[in-house]
Amino acid sequence: MKQQILLTGGAGYIGSNTALELLNSGYEPVIVDNFSNSDETLDPRLDGVTVYKVDVTDRAALSAVFDKHDFHAVINFAGLKAVAVSVEQPLDYYENNLGGLITTLRVMEAHNVTRFVFSSSATVYDPAASLPYTETSATGHCNSPYGWTKYFAERIILDYAAAHPLFTATLLRYFNPIKGAIAEKPRGVPNNIYPYIRQVHEGLRDKLIVFGNDYPTRDGTCVRDYIDCTEIAKRHIAPLETEKPGAYIKNIGTGTGTTVLELIRQYEQENNCTIPYEFGPRRAGDIAECYC
């Protein structure tokens, strides 16, 4: 019998790519999602995957899903993720991201599920820490409520793991996912740059807005560590089997910093196109450089 893996927020960009990798690796993914920022029609390659329209903050509904399955592990993708929006709507982010995590852990505990992989973020790192960021770099002093939700979520998981000796937690600190076997299809105006570039290329938008060109970087635009989402998805497989009880923190990036303008040039070269863009003001919550 295939091991069942629950993916909370599994219909989203990284979640759906991970579901595909789980299928390719012989697992049976099960998706829970409230579809607040994802399409209820999944990629055809995920046909046959069991999907529940459930919000992870709803303990009764989430418990009902657990009652129907024998989960080997839970991979947590559920959460609001737009840095700039979190600055404008901090209570929504704290309530949803931390409340959903705590509810998930409580339901896991009630159903004796002891293996957990958490979708964390490089935004937990202290912007004043020296680059490149390593797993032992200082954290905190986050620039946005989104970053703080990931920081506090990590603290909650680490404390829970310390109190439960049989619990296995792997915290994956993503840098900046792009591409992937399944493309990102956000609702409304994209908050991430790659789907924004793609929509301009496809003629869905007239131009790209580059937020800020006065950062202390080599061309004035932000530097990020862009990594293919398929590679991120693959990194969720090993912790399902190899990690022993305890808590583990791992960066998921390339180790190379790329500016926004360099990313645009790379896209243009790879796709033989021109991406029109203009500069806008800096975006709340952004930092100049971030790479592992």
Side-chain angles (χ1 to χ4, degrees):
M1 175 181 280
K2 294 182 179 180
Q3 290 180 332
Q4 294 184 327
I5 310 297
L6 177 64
L7 281 65
T8 63
Y13 175 40
I14 302 177
S16 59
N17 275 281
T18 301
L20 182 60
E21 289 301 319
L22 287 169
L23 284 173
N24 293 339
S25 298
Y27 291 93
E28 182 183 340
V30 175
I31 291 174
V32 159
D33 205 296
N34 66 1
F35 296 99
S36 63
N37 192 38
S38 55
D39 195 329
E40 293 190 39
T41 302
L42 298 183
D43 186 276
R45 287 166 288 185
L46 298 180
D47 284 350
V49 171
T50 301
V51 180
Y52 296 95
K53 188 174 183 179
V54 166
D55 193 304
V56 294
T57 62
D58 186 337
R59 185 171 178 177
L62 188 60
S63 294
V65 173
F66 273 73
D67 290 341
K68 296 177 182 178
H69 298 272
D70 182 19
F71 292 123
H72 172 68
V74 173
I75 304 178
N76 188 109
F77 297 106
L80 302 174
K81 64 174 187 175
V83 171
V85 176
S86 77
V87 176
E88 301 168 358
Q89 303 171 12
L91 293 184
D92 289 347
Y93 273 69
Y94 286 116
E95 181 177 44
N96 184 84
N97 292 5
L98 298 181
L101 169 66
I102 292 170
T103 299
T104 299
L105 290 173
R106 288 194 181 280
V107 174
M108 288 178 64
E109 183 175 30
H111 290 80
N112 198 32
V113 180
T114 60
R115 191 170 290 272
F116 189 61
V117 181
F118 180 68
S119 172
S120 191
S121 166
T123 56
V124 302
Y125 286 115
D126 186 337
S130 298
L131 291 165
Y133 295 138
T134 70
E135 287 85 351
T136 58
S137 294
T139 57
H141 298 98
C142 304
N143 269 34
S144 68
Y146 168 76
W148 280 115
T149 66
K150 293 298 186 180
Y151 175 89
F152 290 128
E154 286 193 1
R155 187 68 264 166
I156 291 168
I157 296 165
L158 292 173
D159 288 344
Y160 183 84
H164 296 79
L166 298 180
F167 193 73
T168 303
T170 304
L171 286 61
L172 300 179
R173 291 174 177 168
Y174 309 152
F175 280 72
N176 290 71
I178 60 173
K179 302 181 180 179
I182 299 176
E184 184 174 8
K185 296 179 180 178
R187 291 183 176 178
V189 179
N191 287 294
N192 296 330
I193 186 169
Y194 202 80
Y196 206 138
I197 293 174
R198 196 181 66 250
Q199 288 186 11
V200 173
H201 181 203
E202 294 171 353
L204 300 177
R205 301 191 183 278
D206 294 334
K207 58 191 173 184
L208 171 70
I209 304 299
V210 177
F211 297 104
N213 63 339
D214 58 349
Y215 286 96
T217 62
R218 53 185 171 270
D219 62 21
T221 63
C222 291
V223 172
R224 295 291 184 266
D225 189 334
Y226 298 104
I227 179 170
D228 192 302
C229 191
T230 297
E231 291 303 314
I232 293 178
K234 290 178 178 178
R235 305 297 177 88
H236 293 75
I237 307 300
L240 300 178
E241 303 297 341
T242 60
E243 302 291 16
K244 297 179 180 179
Y248 306 87
I249 296 173
K250 299 179 181 182
N251 282 342
I252 307 295
T254 66
T256 300
T258 301
T259 72
V260 172
L261 291 183
E262 289 168 347
L263 181 67
I264 295 171
R265 299 290 177 257
Q266 289 177 13
Y267 186 97
E268 290 176 330
Q269 291 173 7
E270 292 174 4
N271 294 277
N272 191 28
C273 67
T274 299
I275 300 296
Y277 66 87
E278 67 178 36
F279 294 112
R282 291 188 182 189
R283 190 170 53 176
D286 279 346
I287 61 175
E289 297 186 80
C290 181
Y291 57 92
C292 72

